[in-house]
Amino acid sequence: MRQAGRSLPEYRNLRTASESILDVLRRPEVAAEITLQPVRRYGVDAAILYSDIVAPLAAIGFGVEIHAGIGPVIAEPFARAADLDRIRPLEPDVDSPWVAETVHILTSELSVPLIGFGGAPFTLASYLVEGGPSRTYARTKALMWAEPQLWGSLLERLADLTAASLRAQVSAGASAVQLFDSWVGALSPDDYRRFVLPATRRVFSSIDDLGVPRIHFGVTTGELLDQMAAAGAEVIGVDWRVPLDAAVARIAAAGGAAGGTSTVVQGNLDPALCLAPWPAVAAGARAVLEAGKAARAHVFNLGHGVLPETDPSVLQRLVALVHGEEVDGVLAADPGADLTAGPRR
Amino acid sequence: MRQAGRSLPEYRNLRTASESILDVLRRPEVAAEITLQPVRRYGVDAAILYSDIVAPLAAIGFGVEIHAGIGPVIAEPFARAADLDRIRPLEPDVDSPWVAETVHILTSELSVPLIGFGGAPFTLASYLVEGGPSRTYARTKALMWAEPQLWGSLLERLADLTAASLRAQVSAGASAVQLFDSWVGALSPDDYRRFVLPATRRVFSSIDDLGVPRIHFGVTTGELLDQMAAAGAEVIGVDWRVPLDAAVARIAAAGGAAGGTSTVVQGNLDPALCLAPWPAVAAGARAVLEAGKAARAHVFNLGHGVLPETDPSVLQRLVALVHGEEVDGVLAADPGADLTAGPRR
């Protein structure tokens, strides 16, 4: 559950308002602790490295800051060919040695696998071009259509940046990777095919030799799932808008044309459902588990990041439910029961 | 093309920064002029009434303002059963007589049909519950799951409010209506079925006797199109994420189960594409026209509102292209040519 930390008091205690996540990432002990917190609290089956998708861009000195309540902010957005030189190759050992140090700490502490974390080329490009978060991605798309060659070069550099970052995480000990193309669902299938798929394939093929499972995720990607499945990942993350059985069917139907074979899915409980009364959460989780049976394998997860206002005890019960523990028996009777000491940890 | 006015200098000249759209709507001459501007400039085949989906809520005194750059803001959001009384029935003649006056002016001025404008229950409820725009609709969904009965009553009242507003617009002379459920794509298909479809059906069945074509639109609704098609509208608006032929196939495939028979679609050029160089716009428009052939009938449109930064001359050429005028011949040679005097007006 990405961003699970945001709901945890122990996370908020560690973070100060004035400190950027990019600064926190440079302190391996703290970054490792934040990665561990949700694992410790919830007993989930894997950890995901605490990071931010723009971290590699910050590491090569592109000039990106993260402002609280806004997100990444780029003072001088990407606008022309000359800006390509600002995206130099990442040398993980030199540019961001703290990442490997964090992974080292984690692999020695964790009893579950660690998932590495990377931003996909389109979503990274959207921040670079817009200068920050966007609702329409209008500038990004305009650049893509107006200057397809420049766009292609930009995405190629970003693909290499992310591949280098993921490679370093795996070399340091991560057992899997997840590539977040959070905002690519803003594109039509045709535009995805022409302007994004080649770069996404480039990321995955660059790390093919590592032999670790690769997860690929974005939001509002219902019409892109077949292409995403054909891009190289073993696992396709699905947001809550698409029932998992429909996602599996759509990927399978396109299998021949798109070359997609991945029918392992990850997802997809609506994160907002975790704000509802427990019976609604439980019913939703059971429906997700049921729909997930259509897949060759199913990694239960939320359909997007944890909402900050989520009550940690709900996530705790959710994990227990997915693990098949006696949720309704044990926890309904004792909402304060400490499931972190449960059988799966 | 909804919100086409935002791109027009003549619109910006009419609007002052200090004046809310809700105030403008009370001045029929001005509201009619704004409705007419894009028709005059672009030569489109229909006008859509200048309005805002929260206008009926303002008319009954719910306490809603529209803040520039933000959108609707509600000082006292909907939170509990007692708030239901704040949504009293709309009496159009008393509460918002200016709407009928605006429609009267328009029907005497226009040589193309006028489309009435209404907000769908879910999207209206999201503003009422969140107190303004939202990225996650977390409060709205939490209320929906936590208090399904209260939610049902809320949506029923909002359905009646919108139906009354649409009925008044048609009585005054509108030839069709469009129901905007802009944000309902935030829901999963199961939640749509349980928590939204009944209220949407209620809106459409309430105005069934009027005998006018009904259009139903939302964003990121790829997984909801079959249910939306079964809710009663003759025309289903589709955003640019779903190719029109895929939308038609999806609606048809579900036809038996969901009872959907509507395969008339509206859409769906990516509004951001209008910021691209003309050849890209033209190629995109031709692809939309081609995909639209899968439908029984196709109303060409953008897949969402016009972006404010759009160059009006691009929309002009786009309309000409759709009308089959000699775009590349005439306009490529003379980008300043005044197509508003073209054969279709």
Side-chain angles (χ1 to χ4, degrees), chain B residues 50-70:
Chain B
Y50 182 64
S51 186
D52 189 282
I53 62 171
V54 299
L57 285 164
I60 60 165
F62 191 87
V64 49
E65 293 180 350
I66 300 195
H67 293 189
I70 298 177

Side-chain angles (χ1 to χ4, degrees), chain A:
Chain A
M1 290 185 285
R2 186 165 67 122
Q3 300 181 315
R6 296 199 298 186
S7 65
L8 293 178
E10 57 265 37
Y11 169 72
R12 292 193 288 259
N13 286 343
L14 264 181
R15 292 291 310 272
T16 59
S18 61
E19 194 181 38
S20 160
I21 178 174
L22 296 174
D23 296 326
V24 175
L25 296 179
R26 290 165 183 256
R27 296 194 280 142
E29 293 288 347
V30 182
E33 171 59 21
I34 293 174
T35 303
L36 288 166
Q37 283 175 344
V39 182
R40 212 181 275 139
R41 171 83 82 132
Y42 300 128
V44 287
D45 299 311
I48 182 146
L49 184 67
Y50 182 64
S51 186
D52 189 282
I53 62 171
V54 299
L57 285 164
I60 59 166
F62 190 89
V64 50
E65 293 181 350
I66 301 194
H67 293 189
I70 298 178
V73 173
I74 288 156
E76 294 178 60
F78 183 97
R80 59 191 66 80
D83 290 324
L84 282 175
D85 293 339
R86 297 165 62 198
I87 310 171
R88 65 165 174 80
L90 177 74
E91 295 180 68
D93 293 346
V94 181
D95 297 320
S96 50
W98 47 83
V99 176
E101 288 173 47
T102 306
V103 174
H104 288 145
I105 296 171
L106 285 167
T107 46
S108 74
E109 297 263 332
L110 280 165
S111 56
V112 294
L114 176 67
I115 304 172
F117 184 107
F122 175 85
T123 294
L124 289 177
S126 80
Y127 287 116
L128 292 191
V129 176
E130 305 286 340
S134 170
R135 281 184 80 91
T136 62
Y137 308 98
R139 285 182 196 179
T140 310
K141 292 176 177 181
L143 178 76
M144 178 179 97
W145 288 313
E147 304 191 56
Q149 282 202 309
L150 174 57
W151 173 263
S153 302
L154 168 60
L155 259 66
E156 212 165 86
R157 290 203 182 210
L158 293 172
D160 292 346
L161 184 79
T162 290
S165 168
L166 291 173
R167 177 172 292 275
Q169 294 173 50
V170 173
S171 299
S175 308
V177 297
Q178 181 155 345
L179 185 70
F180 290 89
D181 212 350
S182 308
W183 314 134
V184 78
L187 294 184
S188 73
D190 272 351
D191 286 329
Y192 184 89
R193 186 172 299 112
R194 290 170 59 200
F195 296 113
V196 176
L197 184 57
T200 308
R201 280 192 201 274
R202 187 177 174 102
V203 176
F204 287 125
S205 65
S206 300
I207 58 169
D208 204 37
D209 61 301
L210 299 176
V212 298
R214 294 162 292 186
I215 311 166
H216 189 20
F217 172 73
V219 183
T220 69
T221 54
E223 314 304 320
L224 308 178
L225 292 172
D226 54 338
Q227 296 187 66
M228 291 171 73
E234 283 74 23
V235 183
I236 301 302
V238 180
D239 85 2
W240 67 93
R241 291 174 180 85
V242 191
L244 289 178
D245 47 357
V248 169
R250 205 166 295 165
I251 292 169
T261 55
S262 176
T263 51
V264 179
V265 292
Q266 175 176 289
N268 66 347
L269 194 74
D270 187 341
L273 190 49
C274 297
L275 307 179
W278 175 250
V281 186
R286 289 194 186 100
V288 167
L289 290 169
E290 189 58 34
K293 290 179 182 168
R296 188 157 62 77
H298 171 210
V299 181
F300 185 94
N301 201 343
L302 301 186
H304 200 191
V306 171
L307 295 172
E309 60 266 48
T310 307
D311 176 348
S313 74
V314 170
L315 295 183
Q316 219 164 340
R317 294 180 78 168
L318 177 60
V319 172
L321 182 150
V322 174
H323 281 162
E325 292 162 9
E326 290 290 312
V327 175
D328 290 315
V330 173
L331 278 181
D334 177 9
D338 180 11
L339 266 215
T340 56
R344 292 291 289 254
R345 289 196 63 247

Side-chain angles (χ1 to χ4, degrees), chain B residues 24-293:
Chain B
V24 176
L25 296 179
R26 290 165 183 254
R27 296 195 280 142
E29 293 288 346
V30 183
E33 171 59 21
I34 293 173
T35 303
L36 288 166
Q37 284 175 344
V39 182
R40 214 180 274 140
R41 170 83 82 133
Y42 300 129
V44 287
D45 299 310
I48 182 147
L49 184 68
Y50 182 64
S51 186
D52 189 282
I53 62 171
V54 299
L57 285 164
I60 60 165
F62 191 87
V64 49
E65 293 180 350
I66 300 195
H67 293 189
I70 298 177
V73 173
I74 288 156
E76 293 179 60
F78 183 97
R80 58 190 67 79
D83 291 323
L84 282 175
D85 294 338
R86 296 166 62 199
I87 311 172
R88 64 163 173 82
L90 177 74
E91 296 179 67
D93 294 345
V94 181
D95 297 322
S96 50
W98 48 81
V99 175
E101 289 173 46
T102 305
V103 173
H104 288 145
I105 297 172
L106 284 167
T107 46
S108 72
E109 297 261 334
L110 281 166
S111 55
V112 295
L114 176 68
I115 305 171
F117 184 107
F122 175 84
T123 294
L124 289 178
S126 80
Y127 286 116
L128 292 190
V129 176
E130 305 286 340
S134 170
R135 281 186 80 92
T136 62
Y137 308 98
R139 284 183 196 176
T140 310
K141 293 176 176 181
L143 179 75
M144 179 179 95
W145 289 312
E147 303 190 58
Q149 282 202 308
L150 174 57
W151 173 261
S153 303
L154 168 61
L155 259 66
E156 212 166 86
R157 292 204 179 208
L158 293 173
D160 292 345
L161 184 79
T162 290
S165 168
L166 292 173
R167 176 172 291 277
Q169 294 173 50
V170 172
S171 300
S175 308
V177 298
Q178 181 155 344
L179 186 71
F180 290 89
D181 212 350
S182 307
W183 313 134
V184 78
L187 294 184
S188 72
D190 272 351
D191 286 329
Y192 184 89
R193 185 173 298 111
R194 290 171 59 201
F195 296 114
V196 176
L197 184 57
T200 309
R201 280 191 200 275
R202 186 177 175 103
V203 176
F204 286 125
S205 65
S206 301
I207 58 170
D208 205 35
D209 61 303
L210 299 177
V212 298
R214 294 162 292 185
I215 311 166
H216 189 21
F217 173 73
V219 183
T220 68
T221 53
E223 314 305 319
L224 308 178
L225 292 173
D226 55 337
Q227 296 187 68
M228 289 172 73
E234 284 74 23
V235 182
I236 301 303
V238 180
D239 85 2
W240 68 93
R241 290 174 180 85
V242 191
L244 289 179
D245 47 357
V248 169
R250 204 165 295 162
I251 292 169
T261 55
S262 176
T263 52
V264 179
V265 292
Q266 175 177 289
N268 69 345
L269 193 74
D270 187 340
L273 190 48
C274 297
L275 307 180
W278 174 250
V281 185
R286 290 196 185 98
V288 167
L289 289 169
E290 188 58 35
K293 290 180 182 167

Side-chain angles (χ1 to χ4, degrees), chain B residues 4 6-10 12 41-42 274 308-318:
Chain B
R6 296 198 299 187
S7 65
L8 293 179
E10 57 264 36
R12 292 193 288 258
R41 170 83 82 133
Y42 300 129
C274 297
E309 60 266 47
T310 307
D311 176 348
S313 75
V314 171
L315 295 183
Q316 219 165 339
R317 295 181 76 168
L318 177 60

